[in-house]
Amino acid sequence: MSKHLERLNNIYWSFSKKYYNTVEEFKKDIEEYNISCENEKEWRLDELVVNEPSIEMQYMAWVHPEDILPNEELREDEDYFEQEPDDDEYGYQVELAATLLPDNGKSFLGYEFLMKVHIQTLNKDLGDDNFYEGVEITRNKDNTAIAYIYTGG
């Protein structure tokens, strides 16, 4: 793992419902958050972290069928929403896959990648697991880059 990719696992973040219009705005908040948490690890994310023209982000969330965004799909059976929800208020606990695209069409810098992950979760309920705990990047059998996003409470 490159030192820059490793930094994605050193950073602290708490997912919220705040929408960010720019990477600079997100960077400011994430830097303030890590300083306030006294993060002593090497976590600055100004460098390239994912050298891919797209990446599939996978994560767990509580959703209702209308929460699925156009760039997302369920990692469950197609008829999953035909069952009774896991919880009447929160809906279904599911694993989702979302395709993220870098702004430059070639690769992600760290802050941009993490901001896109944050924005993807805005209309979801992460339950008690609203803290970012890192990422594992692998490839599937089609050689597509996959980012497993780990969250915790």
Side-chain angles (χ1 to χ4, degrees), residues 97-149:
T99 301
L100 304 180
L101 303 172
D103 292 342
N104 67 11
K106 298 176 186 175
S107 57
F108 293 91
L109 298 180
Y111 290 110
E112 176 193 10
F113 174 77
L114 199 52
M115 183 182 88
K116 288 183 182 275
V117 168
H118 174 88
I119 289 171
Q120 195 68 40
T121 68
L122 283 176
N123 73 326
K124 312 296 186 308
D125 188 332
L126 300 178
D128 293 332
D129 297 332
N130 62 343
F131 291 98
Y132 174 80
E133 292 192 344
V135 61
E136 178 183 353
I137 297 180
T138 61
R139 293 193 177 276
N140 68 11
K141 61 185 176 208
D142 298 329
N143 208 29
T144 301
I146 299 174
Y148 295 97
I149 306 300

Side-chain angles (χ1 to χ4, degrees), residues 3-61:
K3 71 176 182 173
H4 303 300
L5 185 55
E6 187 176 312
R7 289 179 186 180
L8 281 172
N9 291 323
N10 290 343
I11 199 151
Y12 300 156
W13 186 240
S14 177
F15 293 105
S16 67
K17 297 301 180 190
K18 181 176 180 180
Y19 184 84
Y20 292 92
N21 291 305
T22 66
V23 173
E24 292 76 25
E25 181 185 359
F26 180 74
K27 178 180 175 179
K28 178 182 174 286
D29 279 4
I30 207 164
E31 287 180 346
E32 288 175 1
Y33 186 80
N34 278 267
I35 290 167
S36 73
C37 292
E38 299 179 4
N39 186 351
E40 296 179 5
K41 299 174 184 174
E42 192 172 338
W43 55 266
R44 305 244 181 229
L45 297 173
D46 291 309
E47 304 291 329
L48 180 130
V49 294
V50 178
N51 192 17
E52 299 286 337
S54 70
I55 192 162
E56 182 179 291
M57 165 190 162
Q58 294 186 3
Y59 66 110
M60 297 288 293

Side-chain angles (χ1 to χ4, degrees), residues 38-102:
E38 299 179 4
N39 186 351
E40 296 179 5
K41 299 174 184 174
E42 192 172 338
W43 55 266
R44 305 244 181 229
L45 297 173
D46 291 309
E47 304 291 329
L48 180 130
V49 294
V50 178
N51 192 17
E52 299 286 337
S54 70
I55 192 162
E56 182 179 291
M57 165 190 162
Q58 294 186 3
Y59 66 110
M60 297 288 293
W62 288 89
V63 299
H64 296 279
E66 62 272 14
D67 297 333
I68 307 300
L69 299 174
N71 69 327
E72 287 181 316
E73 61 182 40
L74 285 178
R75 304 267 309 140
E76 316 291 342
D77 294 331
E78 289 180 24
D79 61 352
Y80 192 75
F81 287 137
E82 293 175 15
Q83 304 173 41
E84 288 295 316
D86 298 314
D87 184 277
D88 289 335
E89 181 180 352
Y90 299 108
Y92 301 84
Q93 187 174 30
V94 298
E95 185 174 352
L96 296 163
T99 301
L100 304 180
L101 303 172

